[in-house]
Amino acid sequence: MKIKQTLFAVLMLTVLCVGIALCACNSVMPAYKQQLNYTESTAKINNPDQGFYRPIYVKLNGNGITYNKNIVNDSTQLYHLRIDISAFSKQVNGSADIPLTQTALDGLDELLSFVKSKDKNAIVRFAYDPSYGGSKDKEPQLSIILQHIEQVCTVINNYNSTVTAVEVGLIGPWGEMHSSAIANAQNITPIIEAFVTHTNAVPLLVRTPKMIYDYLGITVNDVDDYVIDANSKAYRLGIYNDGYLGSANDLGTYTDRQRETEFLSKQTAHLPYGGEVVIPSSEYHDIDKCLPEMNLLNLSYLNIEWNNQVIDKWKNSNYTKQCGQDELYYGKTAFDYIQNHLGYRFVLTNSVFKYTSKADELQIELTLKNVGFGNLNKTSHTKLIFADSDGKVAYTCQAQDFKGDSSYNCSLKLNLPNGNYQVYLCLYQDELENNPLYCLQFANDGLWNAELKSNKIGEVTVANE
């Protein structure tokens, strides 16, 4: 009996000690909800790897590269590089199918380096269609095509943060993988294999889902429960849709739209998806009809220039209750709604700091809501920046990466003089000369610091005795 009483006493003492410890811990690290604007903004934001893009036509030949640098501007984040390599095909040069020259590869490197220096992103597509004029049957023999792929991939692999995706292209008018005599699985499958083999991370997009099925060795009848394993090379395969919303099958993109979009949604959850809207008379791009599939397929980019009549249609129609429940956008144009939802769009909905008056340790807990069609497909590095009352940076430290989740938590040690500090979170994918590139902005008014390329997430007051 005494043994039981002794054990009970020890147990109660242990519980009491744990309770005291927990209370002490809670008293040591009080929580402060940060006084910030947590409402969603409807302002346009140029975040990496998404949005309405502008095309840049590029000519690559034995003497190097030519393109118009002036197209790149502050208002556009994403560009579609349409690279004409027809000079290396006998069907165009009249002499021989030849490998790309080192001068040409240096030109490609110069182009991507320029895009990176401007803190911009690019979708890349190569074609043998001279000047992207709509010509078919201009391709060299398959062995040379495969050699060209291996050559360009040595350059592309140096720009994974800059390149949003490679549209496999190469075949047919505008590199849209149709019309030419070699636009068949016998040629397209090895072309896909060459790209997945010689690239190390970049998303690879083909023109139709069937091209993915052919690569996988399945048919459309097999896709209902088919999931591509994350360790498979095919995990990086998606599509670009240049017949987007033009008809019931998007001008031959699909054979069974519902079945195939469900299959594709598993890929577009981690890959970019986009293209060009077409056929102004189509009802499929009416704003009250197109939004469910835009959400399903995680739409991330579209051409601002084609089709201009469809773009104008969106600019001249409104988002209403019949379109959805986003009350912030009632009365705004369909164009504004689509533009603001292409890709990911993170709204900060809560920020809590836990720290003592010494602020020698800081715990940060953020809650986020992604209101965009798509997801963050590239992991962002993070820096925490502490600015003093004069706005000068007093301390910067690395924190754990951000992968696009609905919460972000981190803990760090601090050693700051007494004072008030604004705390900023810099989410970035790369750096150039120690400056962060491809920084992610939250969709909240008043949080973005353009100079620091960072989002304000709160304040800390240090008051050491």
Side-chain angles (χ1 to χ4, degrees):
M1 186 67 177
K2 289 182 178 180
I3 294 175
K4 288 183 179 180
Q5 290 175 339
T6 302
L7 288 175
F8 180 75
V10 170
L11 178 60
M12 291 302 295
L13 180 61
T14 301
V15 171
L16 179 62
C17 289
V18 170
I20 292 172
L22 289 172
C23 291
C25 182
N26 288 334
S27 65
V28 169
M29 296 288 284
Y32 302 94
K33 178 171 180 173
Q34 301 302 297
Q35 301 304 304
L36 301 169
N37 184 346
Y38 292 115
T39 59
E40 178 185 347
S41 168
T42 59
K44 176 190 175 186
I45 298 173
N46 284 332
N47 270 325
D49 295 307
Q50 61 191 40
F52 278 102
Y53 72 72
R54 291 197 178 277
I56 298 178
Y57 290 90
V58 181
K59 187 173 287 293
L60 203 64
N61 57 34
N63 297 320
I65 195 166
T66 56
Y67 61 98
N68 184 2
K69 290 184 176 182
N70 294 326
I71 295 174
V72 177
N73 58 60
D74 292 339
S75 64
T76 303
Q77 175 61 33
L78 184 62
Y79 294 86
H80 195 283
L81 306 181
R82 301 178 176 186
I83 305 175
D84 169 12
I85 56 172
S86 62
F88 301 94
S89 173
K90 180 180 179 180
Q91 297 298 323
V92 177
N93 66 37
S95 178
D97 295 335
I98 55 176
L100 303 179
T101 62
Q102 186 58 49
T103 304
L105 293 173
D106 291 343
L108 176 61
D109 186 81
E110 173 201 318
L111 170 62
L112 293 176
S113 178
F114 170 73
V115 174
K116 180 176 180 178
S117 72
K118 296 296 184 180
D119 202 7
K120 304 297 184 181
N121 292 103
I123 302 157
V124 179
R125 187 198 300 176
F126 299 93
Y128 298 102
D129 174 12
S131 301
Y132 274 71
S135 299
K136 64 178 182 178
D137 296 321
K138 299 299 183 182
E139 304 84 6
Q141 57 187 315
L142 180 61
S143 61
I144 291 295
I145 294 176
L146 300 181
Q147 185 176 359
H148 289 167
I149 293 170
E150 183 174 358
Q151 288 181 288
V152 299
C153 288
T154 62
V155 178
I156 290 170
N157 284 335
N158 295 323
Y159 294 94
N160 286 333
S161 61
T162 301
V163 176
T164 297
V166 172
E167 295 180 349
V168 169
L170 291 170
I171 293 174
W174 314 289
E176 290 187 1
M177 308 183 81
H178 60 74
S179 299
S180 282
I182 68 167
N184 52 52
Q186 183 179 351
N187 296 286
I188 291 173
T189 296
I191 286 173
I192 294 173
E193 177 63 24
F195 270 112
V196 297
T197 299
H198 295 297
T199 54
N200 53 30
V202 66
L204 302 167
L205 311 179
V206 295
R207 180 60 189 86
T208 68
K210 182 182 182 300
M211 296 173 185
I212 300 177
Y213 312 153
D214 290 337
Y215 179 79
L216 294 171
I218 63 175
T219 71
V220 66
N221 297 320
D222 302 314
V223 302
D224 290 349
D225 299 314
Y226 198 100
V227 178
I228 299 175
D229 188 88
N231 295 317
S232 167
K233 290 187 292 186
Y235 192 68
R236 289 191 285 132
L237 283 182
I239 75 164
Y240 62 95
N241 189 345
D242 283 358
Y244 190 47
L245 302 176
S247 68
N249 61 14
D250 281 1
L251 307 188
T253 300
Y254 304 115
T255 56
D256 186 333
R257 189 183 196 109
Q258 182 175 351
R259 172 181 280 181
E260 293 182 274
T261 53
E262 288 289 344
F263 165 77
L264 285 172
S265 68
K266 302 166 191 173
Q267 289 295 92
T268 59
H270 61 270
L271 295 173
Y273 169 77
E276 297 178 334
V277 285
V278 294
I279 313 297
S281 61
S282 171
E283 64 178 18
Y284 286 89
H285 38 62
D286 290 352
I287 187 62
D288 58 334
K289 296 182 177 67
C290 63
L291 294 181
E293 189 177 284
M294 288 180 173
N295 277 290
L296 174 67
L297 290 180
N298 306 285
L299 183 67
S300 50
Y301 68 84
L302 289 173
N303 185 356
I304 190 64
E305 297 181 5
W306 190 262
N307 182 288
N308 59 298
Q309 293 182 58
V310 179
I311 301 298
D312 287 342
K313 169 185 172 179
W314 285 340
K315 289 181 177 180
N316 292 306
S317 56
N318 290 333
Y319 181 89
T320 65
K321 292 181 179 180
Q322 287 67 44
C323 304
Q325 299 179 354
D326 289 339
E327 295 182 8
L328 280 173
Y329 287 88
Y330 288 166
K332 294 188 179 296
T333 70
F335 178 84
D336 286 340
Y337 187 87
I338 293 170
Q339 176 177 253
N340 283 2
H341 290 79
L342 290 173
Y344 56 85
R345 187 177 176 91
F346 291 101
V347 180
L348 181 66
T349 59
N350 199 32
S351 176
V352 175
F353 288 1
K354 295 179 180 178
Y355 64 97
T356 66
S357 59
K358 292 182 179 181
D360 53 349
E361 180 180 355
L362 174 63
Q363 294 179 10
I364 296 174
E365 299 175 0
L366 305 181
T367 305
L368 298 156
K369 182 179 180 181
N370 181 7
V371 298
F373 295 140
N375 298 309
L376 182 67
N377 298 323
K378 295 177 182 176
T379 296
S380 287
H381 306 302
T382 69
K383 290 180 183 178
L384 287 167
I385 301 171
F386 294 78
D388 63 22
S389 56
D390 294 324
K392 296 180 180 179
V393 175
Y395 181 64
T396 301
C397 66
Q398 294 292 138
Q400 68 186 51
D401 289 347
F402 175 63
K403 298 182 179 180
D405 297 325
S406 60
S407 62
Y408 178 81
N409 302 324
C410 65
S411 179
L412 62 151
K413 300 292 184 182
L414 291 178
N415 184 17
L416 291 169
N418 287 359
N420 297 320
Y421 298 89
Q422 308 287 316
V423 185
Y424 295 90
L425 181 67
C426 178
L427 302 166
Y428 67 102
Q429 294 173 6
D430 205 342
E431 290 184 292
L432 184 64
E433 298 177 352
N434 296 319
N435 293 314
L437 295 177
Y438 309 120
C439 297
L440 190 158
Q441 179 179 347
F442 294 155
N444 302 70
D445 287 327
L447 301 189
W448 180 247
N449 184 310
E451 183 179 353
L452 298 177
K453 295 184 178 180
S454 303
N455 303 280
K456 182 179 178 182
I457 56 172
E459 298 180 6
V460 169
T461 300
V462 180
N464 289 307
E465 296 179 357

